[in-house]
Amino acid sequence: MLFNGKKLLNDTSLYKQLFEQSSDAMLLIKDNHFIACNKASQQMLGWVNTDNIFPISPADISPKTQPCGMRSTEKSKSIIEKAYDNEEHKFDWWHINANKEVFPVEVKLTAIYHNNERFLHVLWRSIPTHYNQYKKIKVAESVQHNTTDAIMITDHKNIIIDVNPAFCKITGYTKKEAIGQNSGFMKSGIQGKSFYQQMWQSINDKGFWRGNIWDKKKSGDYYSKTLNISVIKNENNEIVNFIGLFSDSTALLEYEDTIQKQANFDSLTGFPNRSFLLNLLEDKILTATSENSTFSLAFIDIDNFKIINDTKGHAFGDQIIIKIIQCVRNCIDDKDILGRMSGDEFLIIFDTNQTLTMIENKIQRIITLSDFAIEIDSNDFFVTLSAGISSFPSDGMDVSTLIANADIAMYHVKQNGGTDYALYNDRLGKTFQENNELEEEFISAINERKIIPYFQAKLDLSSGHIVGCESLARWQRSSGEYVSPEIFIEIAEKKYRINQLSSHLFLTTFKSIASMQLPSNFIISVNVSPMVLLDDNFQSDFINYITSSGLSLNQIEIEITETCLIEDFEKVKNVLSSLRRMGIQIAIDDFGTGFASLNYLTQLEIDTIKIDRTFINLIDTKDKSNRIIVESIISMSHKLGYKVVAEGVETMAQLNILKELHCDFIQGYLLSKPLEHLAFNEFIQDFNIINEYC
């Protein structure tokens, strides 16, 4: 029996027969519930019988959610209401069978009425044959709609026929504005004709193209995009569509540019950094080799930069570096390469085929920067520079050799006071090699404790008694040669081994003197480096060395040079005052050769002034100036309450003058050279008072 979609016809028996015998799956809905189904739908659901099943809701035979993500309960109610309102509704739905398997159906709902009641006639059409294709289409549509990459589809004539939301978001054009346009309507004009010719050649030959391209947004802003173009062909191998997939890569390019700068350029100065300079130098060598050309490089260093950093702070030091590198840049040519190798070290790679005279003139201009004040925070500040120059290929044919030799030349300048430049030569190389060997042997000597204390006696001129000694470090190399303490102490400080060396010398000195069983008023003097004195652990460690040897604190005298006073005066003053309160005596060594003012001395608690040997050596000559200096030092010291020791006394004439000037103590070869502890002990035991010393 037929019905018109609104009224169920009177012959219900015919309708029932059609309903039950139909090969299409049919169901009835009343009050949002299924109340009946035919055999076809029963088979589709996998039900054996329908006893005690009805009524059930559509959600009861559906997965919890539909493919759109909406819950089946909510969506079924919404669709049913829509079908009643429109009297007919068609849609796709997922149901679940008795085996818990999900199956898709195309659903058609039709509103029917009987005896003043409303029903929905449900027609299911299975779509398994085309389901996979259907799913792919739905997935593709979802991807196209939700992807963050822009998608542009054109016909075979390159006319846009579709774009996705991401396209509109990136370009600023609406879908309506884009469709119908030629795909090139957003060209920036940055790429030339040849660029597009190569792009289309790849598309025609290979069926695709990938690359970066600059386009223009609707706003007029230029942007970089990574573009993929693919060709779609039909069964006759004819092009039917082009698909363009792209993303805005402007931020990526900016990020890559930032990373590139961080990798190759110094963050403080903006000039090439060490790694980039080494790469540039490698390229320079390859080019010079192939062209049979020459070039030079210069290694430049700021003199005493550590002191600047320590006294003024790192922020001030950074300003110095920025000012210096800018000044250096102004002294060289545009084709010369300048960069920062490390903290205060710069490298210049000069352009090819410049003569050494030209190079030296540039470096001399750079060195003379130290003659002019650098203004920082409205204050003038002076710095000096040292430089070393090496040349390709005469001074090296690889990166490491060229840089090392320029560094050697600069080091030579540093050793001679700085504020100059030097050209590398074999003599400098040999000297540097010898110094390296010396430093290596020195490290071994420290580790093997081959550097030992020798002792030089100190004589009291008023009594003629030996009242103390100075401990002096001595190192005899494996070759039998003795190395001057000035040399190996400098190495120890440079290699940061001075604490290790001093600890060994202190312990050995105190134990050796304690073993001699000398009088309790015998004073042992030890030299303390500024680096050691300023170490935070020095005071506690030093006290332990003394007490562990069995000596008393009042038997020890510390000798410091005037250099200590200008390193960190307040800290030195506090350390010395603390030690002196414990009974340890303090002496200023090599007085008259340093840079400390008398104002420093008046603020210190010290016991002794030691006059440097350079004044004593000439005290008995016709030139009276040295005698006057010595006399002034002795007089001043006594008035300040200090004792005075004259170092380097070698003749009786010098001794007699010192007695006349009322010097307190002498030390020198006239009395005894420095002796190792056994010989010194024997010297002390055999010493007889000589009348002319008294």
Side-chain angles (χ1 to χ4, degrees):
M1 187 174 183
L2 301 177
F3 57 91
N4 64 4
K6 290 185 179 181
K7 299 291 183 181
L8 187 65
L9 297 183
N10 293 328
D11 196 344
T12 55
S13 60
L14 178 59
Y15 171 78
K16 183 177 181 181
Q17 186 177 357
L18 290 172
F19 179 82
E20 291 177 349
Q21 299 300 322
S22 175
S23 60
D24 290 327
M26 294 184 184
L27 302 95
L28 279 179
I29 290 178
K30 180 184 179 184
D31 298 331
N32 295 332
H33 286 79
F34 290 117
I35 60 171
C37 70
N38 66 358
K39 290 182 180 179
S41 59
Q42 186 176 333
Q43 290 173 355
M44 192 176 288
L45 289 165
W47 291 348
V48 176
N49 59 66
T50 58
D51 295 342
N52 301 319
I53 289 179
F54 298 110
I56 58 172
S57 70
D60 291 334
I61 54 172
S62 304
K64 289 183 178 180
T65 59
Q66 292 299 308
C68 65
M70 192 173 178
R71 294 181 65 83
S72 297
T73 305
E74 298 168 0
K75 189 168 185 177
S76 63
K77 291 178 180 178
S78 172
I79 287 175
I80 288 171
E81 289 302 319
K82 192 172 186 178
Y84 280 129
D85 291 342
N86 298 332
E87 297 188 349
E88 187 175 281
H89 185 50
K90 185 183 289 187
F91 58 94
D92 295 332
W93 191 266
W94 281 13
H95 278 298
I96 189 167
N97 62 24
N99 295 324
K100 306 299 182 182
E101 296 171 341
V102 176
F103 64 94
V105 289
E106 182 183 79
V107 182
K108 181 179 180 182
L109 299 180
T110 305
I112 56 177
Y113 302 89
H114 181 65
N115 295 334
N116 296 322
E117 291 184 298
R118 65 178 187 175
F119 301 86
L120 284 177
H121 176 268
V122 182
L123 177 65
W124 284 352
R125 293 189 184 278
S126 179
I127 51 175
T129 304
H130 305 291
Y131 183 54
N132 288 336
Q133 183 179 355
Y134 169 82
K135 284 199 299 184
K136 289 178 181 179
I137 292 171
K138 290 295 183 182
V139 169
E141 289 176 352
S142 177
V143 169
Q144 182 177 353
H145 185 80
N146 294 297
T147 182
T148 57
D149 288 336
I151 298 174
M152 177 178 68
I153 303 173
T154 73
D155 62 14
H156 69 286
K157 293 182 179 180
N158 217 22
I159 301 301
I160 299 173
I161 59 175
D162 196 14
V163 295
N164 71 340
F167 174 95
C168 301
K169 183 177 181 181
I170 292 174
T171 66
Y173 288 99
T174 65
K175 189 170 185 176
K176 184 177 180 181
E177 290 171 329
I179 292 176
Q181 297 270 16
N182 184 280
S183 65
F185 82 101
M186 297 178 291
K187 280 184 181 179
S188 65
I190 293 176
Q191 286 84 17
K193 185 177 180 180
S194 62
F195 175 87
Y196 291 102
Q197 287 175 341
Q198 292 175 8
M199 181 182 79
W200 280 106
Q201 184 175 346
S202 175
I203 293 171
N204 293 326
D205 293 346
K206 301 177 182 178
F208 68 90
W209 180 85
R210 173 183 170 82
N212 289 312
I213 188 170
W214 284 88
D215 268 353
K216 191 159 60 172
K217 298 182 180 182
K218 183 179 179 180
S219 63
D221 294 333
Y222 293 94
Y223 72 104
S224 172
K225 66 184 184 184
T226 302
L227 174 63
N228 290 272
I229 299 176
S230 300
V231 173
I232 305 297
K233 296 182 179 181
N234 60 19
E235 61 275 8
N236 298 321
N237 202 34
E238 296 170 335
I239 295 175
V240 291
N241 296 105
F242 296 101
I243 298 179
L245 179 69
F246 64 87
S247 59
D248 188 342
S249 58
T250 308
L252 178 61
L253 285 179
E254 291 174 351
Y255 174 74
E256 289 176 347
D257 183 57
T258 300
I259 295 299
Q260 183 77 358
K261 287 181 179 178
Q262 290 175 349
N264 293 324
F265 292 88
D266 176 54
S267 59
L268 176 65
T269 65
F271 283 78
N273 61 16
R274 180 185 180 86
S275 62
F276 193 26
L277 283 170
L278 297 182
N279 290 335
L280 292 172
L281 182 53
E282 182 71 44
D283 293 341
K284 192 79 170 180
I285 290 172
L286 293 173
T287 302
T289 301
S290 64
E291 296 177 352
N292 196 27
S293 58
T294 63
F295 70 91
S296 298
L297 59 87
F299 209 86
I300 301 175
D301 183 85
I302 301 174
D303 297 328
N304 302 314
F305 186 71
K306 184 179 185 301
I307 295 176
I308 296 174
N309 258 348
D310 291 345
T311 57
K312 295 286 188 176
H314 289 278
F316 187 88
D318 287 347
Q319 292 185 70
I320 289 289
I321 288 170
I322 292 169
K323 293 283 187 179
I324 288 294
I325 201 167
Q326 289 171 346
C327 291
V328 173
R329 175 71 264 179
N330 292 334
C331 293
I332 59 179
D333 298 331
D334 291 340
K335 291 185 178 180
D336 299 330
I337 299 169
L338 170 65
R340 185 184 181 196
M341 287 290 282
S342 63
D344 64 326
E345 294 177 334
F346 311 101
L347 185 72
I348 305 173
I349 306 171
F350 293 99
D351 195 22
T352 53
N353 296 327
Q354 298 185 52
T355 65
L356 271 178
T357 301
M358 296 168 63
I359 301 298
E360 289 184 75
N361 288 337
K362 291 179 181 180
I363 295 299
Q364 188 59 59
R365 287 202 301 272
I366 292 169
I367 297 300
T368 54
L369 285 172
S370 58
D371 293 338
F372 301 95
I374 293 176
E375 185 178 316
I376 295 178
D377 298 334
S378 300
N379 294 311
D380 290 341
F381 195 82
F382 291 86
V383 296
T384 59
L385 305 175
S386 297
I389 301 170
S390 64
S391 300
F392 174 88
S394 58
D395 298 328
M397 300 184 68
D398 58 76
V399 170
S400 59
T401 304
L402 281 169
I403 290 179
N405 288 343
D407 194 19
I408 288 170
M410 185 194 71
Y411 179 78
H412 169 76
V413 174
K414 292 275 192 182
Q415 293 292 97
N416 289 277
T419 321
D420 203 351
Y421 73 91
L423 301 174
Y424 175 81
N425 57 48
D426 291 340
R427 178 181 56 79
L428 292 182
K430 182 179 180 181
T431 301
F432 185 80
Q433 180 62 32
E434 290 172 351
N435 288 338
N436 270 350
E437 291 173 359
L438 180 66
E439 291 177 3
E440 289 175 5
E441 190 173 343
F442 169 75
I443 299 300
S444 298
I446 286 184
N447 294 333
E448 297 169 13
R449 299 188 174 182
K450 291 182 178 180
I451 301 174
I452 60 175
Y454 274 45
F455 305 97
Q456 188 173 40
K458 186 189 301 179
L459 182 74
D460 184 342
L461 287 179
S462 63
S463 67
H465 291 102
I466 295 175
V467 294
C469 66
E470 180 181 359
S471 175
L472 299 165
R474 292 294 181 265
W475 174 32
Q476 186 177 20
R477 298 183 69 178
S478 55
S479 63
E481 170 194 6
Y482 278 93
V483 182
S484 167
E486 292 181 355
I487 294 176
F488 67 75
I489 292 298
E490 183 181 345
I491 296 173
E493 291 178 339
K494 185 176 75 172
K495 296 292 185 181
Y496 298 98
R497 294 297 190 102
I498 189 65
N499 281 11
Q500 181 184 357
L501 174 61
S502 297
S503 298
H504 164 64
L505 291 172
F506 293 152
L507 282 168
T508 308
T509 293
F510 299 150
K511 288 180 180 179
S512 296
I513 296 298
S515 69
M516 298 179 194
Q517 298 183 341
L518 297 170
S520 59
N521 61 350
F522 191 89
I523 305 299
I524 304 95
S525 299
V526 292
N527 294 280
V528 181
S529 159
M531 288 181 67
V532 174
L533 185 68
L534 293 171
D535 186 274
D536 292 337
N537 298 319
F538 166 70
Q539 185 170 325
S540 59
D541 290 344
F542 190 69
I543 299 300
N544 288 335
Y545 299 147
I546 299 169
T547 54
S548 65
S549 70
L551 295 176
S552 301
L553 297 183
N554 57 14
Q555 289 182 266
I556 308 302
E557 181 180 65
I558 285 178
E559 293 189 13
I560 63 170
T561 62
E562 293 176 64
T563 307
C564 282
L565 305 181
I566 61 174
E567 289 284 328
D568 187 341
F569 180 74
E570 286 301 320
K571 185 171 184 179
V572 169
K573 177 183 175 181
N574 293 334
V575 172
L576 295 181
S577 296
S578 177
L579 291 172
R580 195 168 183 272
R581 286 194 296 270
M582 297 179 188
I584 295 172
Q585 297 184 40
I586 309 298
I588 303 297
D589 195 15
D590 300 334
F591 186 80
T593 61
F595 303 97
S597 67
L598 293 177
N599 182 48
Y600 278 139
L601 296 181
T602 59
Q603 296 182 56
L604 292 174
E605 298 178 35
I606 60 176
D607 300 279
T608 305
I609 294 291
K610 299 189 74 174
I611 304 175
D612 188 72
R613 67 183 64 249
T614 56
F615 299 108
I616 304 302
N617 287 342
L618 300 173
I619 198 174
D620 55 346
T621 63
K622 291 181 180 180
D623 185 355
K624 301 301 181 183
S625 59
N626 280 281
R627 176 170 177 154
I628 294 171
I629 292 172
V630 172
E631 183 177 10
S632 300
I633 293 173
I634 293 172
S635 175
M636 177 198 68
S637 298
H638 285 165
K639 289 178 180 179
L640 292 172
Y642 308 147
K643 296 289 186 180
V644 180
V645 179
E647 295 183 295
V649 179
E650 297 182 356
T651 68
M652 286 299 299
Q654 293 169 351
L655 182 140
N656 289 330
I657 293 172
L658 290 167
K659 286 178 65 176
E660 290 176 17
L661 298 177
H662 305 292
C663 185
D664 300 296
F665 308 102
I666 66 163
Q667 201 179 315
Y669 274 38
L670 176 64
L671 183 63
S672 170
K673 66 180 182 180
L675 302 168
E676 54 87 24
H677 78 282
L678 293 177
F680 180 73
N681 190 29
E682 185 177 342
F683 168 76
I684 293 291
Q685 300 303 327
D686 294 344
F687 183 77
N688 292 317
I689 299 176
I690 303 174
N691 287 333
E692 63 256 36
Y693 284 10
C694 304

